[in-house]
Amino acid sequence: ATSKKVITREEWEKKLSDVKIRKEDMNKLVMNFLVTEGYVDAAEKFRMESGTEHIDLATITDRMAVKKAVQSGNVEDAIEKVNDLNPEILDTNPQLFFHLQQQRLIELIRNGKVEEALEFAQEELAPRGEENQSFLEELERTVALLAFEDVTNCPVGELLDISQRLKTASEVNAAILTSQSHEKDPKLPSLLKMLIWAQNQLDEKAAFPRISNLSTAALEDPPV
């Protein structure tokens, strides 16, 4: 087997120093992350300090209010807020609307409102399930929660986890961003994934200073 080429830290840092990145691009990258993730105050302060393009902070605040409502289990309030922002978001996205209604059903079950949950499932979700097989399967999984007094033994008990709320909230957040002509995901995590992928590819051919801790970006000496 051919031995790997060893690149010293000095050589590697020299190569990195030759790479030039415009400050404007870095500012846009940071602002993209703050806006997409909804850090309103930080986005405003960064906009003033960096001089990046004007951002309509009201749209961030409204979007975060929707996200917070879903994360808190107030799905009806979230649906109302989405419609206030743009009724077309739910009108043109039946899957998102179903998942919000499914989350409403989950919250009814969580609160022990069995009769109300059954009525809601029959009147609001069953008709949509008849039109879409995947919706029907998700509805059946959700209604299965009612068959277990102890949800810890329920095979679909994860629907009651906070992670399910977060998943629905993330889906709503992405839809609102898309409707506002924003990217639904921030660029920064994608760039970090590309960094890890590139390092893994290069590792097959060379020993070089890697970045293992992304939060510090510290270079680690290549194994000898």
Side-chain angles (χ1 to χ4, degrees), residues 121-137:
Q122 183 176 4
E123 294 182 0
E124 299 294 336
L125 293 175
R128 299 181 182 278
E130 293 174 358
E131 300 171 358
N132 187 303
Q133 181 61 32
S134 65
F135 291 173
L136 180 60
E137 293 173 359

Side-chain angles (χ1 to χ4, degrees), residues 31 39-49 54-55 57:
M31 181 61 81
Y39 296 108
V40 184
D41 294 339
E44 172 61 11
K45 290 179 181 178
F46 187 74
R47 183 188 67 79
M48 292 188 294
E49 293 177 2
H54 176 70
I55 300 295
L57 297 179

Side-chain angles (χ1 to χ4, degrees), residues 144-158:
L145 291 169
L146 295 169
F148 293 83
E149 293 185 7
D150 182 7
V151 294
T152 58
N153 296 320
C154 177
V156 292
E158 72 274 3

Side-chain angles (χ1 to χ4, degrees), residues 98-99 101-102 105-106 109 117-118 120-130 132-146 156 159:
F98 176 84
H99 285 158
Q101 295 290 64
Q102 179 189 24
L105 176 59
I106 291 171
I109 296 172
L118 287 171
F120 182 77
Q122 183 176 4
E123 294 182 0
E124 299 294 336
L125 293 175
R128 299 181 182 278
E130 293 174 358
N132 187 303
Q133 181 61 32
S134 65
F135 291 173
L136 180 60
E137 293 173 359
E138 290 189 63
L139 173 58
E140 291 174 346
R141 289 183 69 245
T142 307
V143 173
L145 291 169
L146 295 169
V156 292
L159 291 174

Side-chain angles (χ1 to χ4, degrees), residues 114-222:
V114 177
E115 292 185 7
E116 190 175 344
L118 287 171
E119 182 179 351
F120 182 77
Q122 183 176 4
E123 294 182 0
E124 299 294 336
L125 293 175
R128 299 181 182 278
E130 293 174 358
E131 300 171 358
N132 187 303
Q133 181 61 32
S134 65
F135 291 173
L136 180 60
E137 293 173 359
E138 290 189 63
L139 173 58
E140 291 174 346
R141 289 183 69 245
T142 307
V143 173
L145 291 169
L146 295 169
F148 293 83
E149 293 185 7
D150 182 7
V151 294
T152 58
N153 296 320
C154 177
V156 292
E158 72 274 3
L159 291 174
L160 292 173
D161 291 343
I162 296 301
S163 61
Q164 179 66 24
R165 284 182 179 176
L166 298 180
K167 178 181 177 183
T168 305
S170 178
E171 186 177 355
V172 177
N173 185 60
I176 296 174
L177 281 167
T178 299
S179 75
Q180 296 173 342
S181 299
H182 291 301
E183 292 162 296
K184 62 181 182 179
D185 297 309
K187 294 184 176 70
L188 185 56
S190 296
L191 289 174
L192 293 178
K193 290 178 182 178
M194 290 176 63
L195 168 64
I196 295 172
W197 176 84
Q199 287 190 151
N200 290 339
Q201 293 295 307
L202 182 58
D203 188 54
E204 296 179 3
K205 299 181 179 180
F208 62 98
R210 294 180 61 102
I211 295 176
S212 297
N213 188 331
L214 296 178
S215 63
T216 64
L219 292 174
E220 297 180 356
D221 289 325

